[in-house]
Amino acid sequence: MRVYSFVKPKKKPLLKEDTKLWLIFITISFILYISFGLFLEIKSYLFKKETKELYNQTLTLKHKIIELNKQKEFIYTQKALYEDIMIKNQLVKQQIQNLLDLIPDPITLEKFYIDHNKLIIYGITPTKDVYNLLMLPPLESIFEQTITYFYELPNGWYKFKSENFIKSEDENQTE
Amino acid sequence: MKIKLNKPNIKIPKITIYGIDVIKNLGFFALYIIITLLAITLIIAPSIKKFKQTQKKYFEAKYEFNMVNNQYNKTLNELKMLKKENAKILNAFRRDFNINNFKNFASQFMEITSIEKNGTKPFKKDFLTTIYFVKSKINSPKDFYDFIDALKNYKYIVKVYFPINFQKEGKKILLTLKLEHYRLKNPKALKAEEKAH
C-alpha cells in the first residue's frame, strides 16, 4: 500500500544549525590557539636572534674596550717616558749647577768631565790647603773614592786633577 | 549452546528547551573545554614558557650590551681626552729627528760645531732611541741651563745625558754632550690602528 503525505519532503541537512555553529566555533578557537602559539614561537625566535646579535655586539665592544684600554695604557707609557726624560734633563742641569756651586772662589775651574759614575775636574788652586779645605770635603761626601793629582805651576799655584768615583748601579737611560 | 547477549538498551534522553537540544550542546561544550585545555597544555603553555625564557635572556643581553656600550663610550671619551691633553707629547714621539731643525733650535743657546749620529737602538717595546754627540760653544753655564729648560717645549723628545764635558776656551766654554732622541718604533702602524676605532 502506498503512503502519501500531504507535506512536501524537505532536504534533511547533514548537520543541524547548532551543530554547525559549534563546529565552526571550535575550529576557529583551535585555529586561534595555534596562531597564538605560533605567534609566541615567532616572537621567541626573534628574541633569540636579537639576543645573539646583542651578544655578538657586546663581544665586539668588549674587544674594542680592551683595544682602547691598550691605547690608553700606551699613552700613559709615553707620558711617563716623556716626564721621566724631562725630570732626568732637570737632574742633569741640577747636577751641573751643584757642581759649579761647589767650586769655591779661590779655585779656578778649567775643565770637567761628568759621566754616570765619575767626575773628573781640572782646575787651578792657589794652594793645596785651599783645595783640601774648601773643595775636597764636599767631594768626599758625595763620592766614594776621590783621587787628586797636583802639578805645581811656575807661579807657585797648583794645577789639579780630581778624579771622583761613585759605585752606584748605573741608572742609565730609564731602561 | 549459544549464549545470547542482549544489547544494552542505553538511550540518551532527549531534553529540549525551546527546541534546543541541551544534551548535545552540553556535549559540544565539553568538547570545546577539552580542546581548549589540551591546546593550553600542549601548545600555549610551552610557547609562553619558551617566550618568557627568551624574553628574559634578551633583556639580560640588552642590559649587558647597554652597560658595555656605556663603558665603551666612557673609555672612548677618556681616550679622546687623553689624546687631546697629551697631543704635544704624542706628536713629539712620532717625529723623526731633523738635525737642521735642532741646530736652529739650539742656536738660541749655543753655537753648534758638530753633531755626530751614533746609532739607533730599540728602547723598551715600542720606542727607538738615537744617540747624537754634540760639540758646541756656550758663553756661560746659563746657556746650558736655558737649553735644558727649552727642551720641555721642543718638538722632539730629547734627553741630555752623560758624558758631559765642559772645557774653558778663552771667553767661551766648549761643551760636549750626549743627546738621546726618542721616537716611536712604528708611528704609521699606530696611527692606522687608532683610525680603526
Side-chain angles (χ1 to χ4, degrees), chain B residues 51-190:
Chain B
F51 173 78
K52 275 190 173 176
Q53 276 174 351
T54 48
Q55 195 188 36
K56 195 185 165 195
K57 275 185 188 170
Y58 169 77
F59 284 125
E60 277 172 3
K62 185 142 191 163
Y63 176 75
E64 198 193 348
F65 172 78
N66 286 338
M67 293 282 283
V68 175
N69 196 32
N70 286 344
Q71 200 192 339
Y72 171 77
N73 288 332
K74 195 184 155 201
T75 316
L76 192 68
N77 284 338
E78 279 172 2
L79 182 71
K80 277 180 187 168
M81 283 287 284
L82 213 59
K83 276 183 185 170
K84 206 176 165 185
E85 282 168 10
N86 300 291
K88 196 189 105 187
I89 299 171
L90 301 180
N91 289 331
F93 270 114
R94 285 199 177 103
R95 288 189 190 110
D96 286 328
F97 193 70
N98 182 302
I99 290 179
N100 288 330
N101 186 288
F102 177 73
K103 277 183 182 172
N104 280 338
F105 163 76
S107 66
Q108 302 167 68
F109 315 98
M110 55 183 73
E111 186 191 317
I112 290 180
T113 50
S114 77
I115 300 182
E116 195 184 311
K117 191 176 172 181
N118 192 28
T120 302
K121 57 180 182 177
F123 178 76
K124 288 186 177 168
K125 201 180 117 198
D126 306 294
F127 302 95
L128 286 176
T129 171
T130 311
I131 297 166
Y132 295 90
F133 285 106
V134 178
K135 284 183 183 169
S136 64
K137 284 178 186 173
I138 53 173
N139 293 319
S140 74
K142 194 184 171 295
D143 290 340
F144 177 68
Y145 305 150
D146 291 343
F147 166 70
I148 285 185
D149 288 337
L151 282 178
K152 273 185 202 168
N153 300 315
Y154 190 37
K155 61 192 275 191
Y156 303 120
I157 309 282
V158 176
K159 183 159 111 178
V160 177
Y161 211 63
F162 302 123
I164 296 172
N165 192 52
F166 274 70
Q167 190 172 353
K168 201 177 153 191
E169 195 188 68
K171 283 185 179 178
K172 297 228 169 188
I173 300 167
L174 278 179
L175 170 67
T176 310
L177 51 91
K178 185 176 150 189
L179 290 181
E180 287 176 357
H181 170 246
Y182 289 82
R183 69 187 158 94
L184 290 177
K185 233 178 211 173
N186 196 352
K188 278 177 191 170
L190 277 165

Side-chain angles (χ1 to χ4, degrees), chain A residues 118-175:
Chain A
K118 71 178 171 189
L119 167 69
I120 301 168
I121 307 170
Y122 298 84
I124 297 169
T125 174
T127 63
K128 283 185 183 180
D129 287 342
V130 168
Y131 175 86
N132 287 333
L133 277 170
L134 299 173
M135 198 155 157
L136 192 60
L139 285 174
E140 279 179 336
S141 68
I142 300 165
F143 296 94
E144 285 170 10
Q145 194 187 4
T146 301
I147 308 161
T148 314
Y149 305 98
F150 290 100
Y151 310 95
E152 196 174 353
L153 292 168
N155 62 0
W157 286 33
Y158 288 90
K159 251 191 170 184
F160 68 87
K161 181 187 178 187
S162 168
E163 291 179 354
N164 307 278
F165 301 95
I166 202 160
K167 275 184 188 169
S168 69
E169 285 297 313
D170 187 6
E171 41 77 64
N172 186 17
Q173 324 273 341
T174 56
E175 276 172 308

Side-chain angles (χ1 to χ4, degrees), chain A residues 18-19 22 72 89 173, chain B residues 24-25 78 160 164 168 180:
Chain A
D18 53 350
T19 311
W22 269 112
K72 267 172 70 182
N89 281 348
Q173 324 273 341
Chain B
K24 189 179 83 181
N25 281 303
E78 279 172 2
V160 177
I164 296 172
K168 201 177 153 191
E180 287 176 357

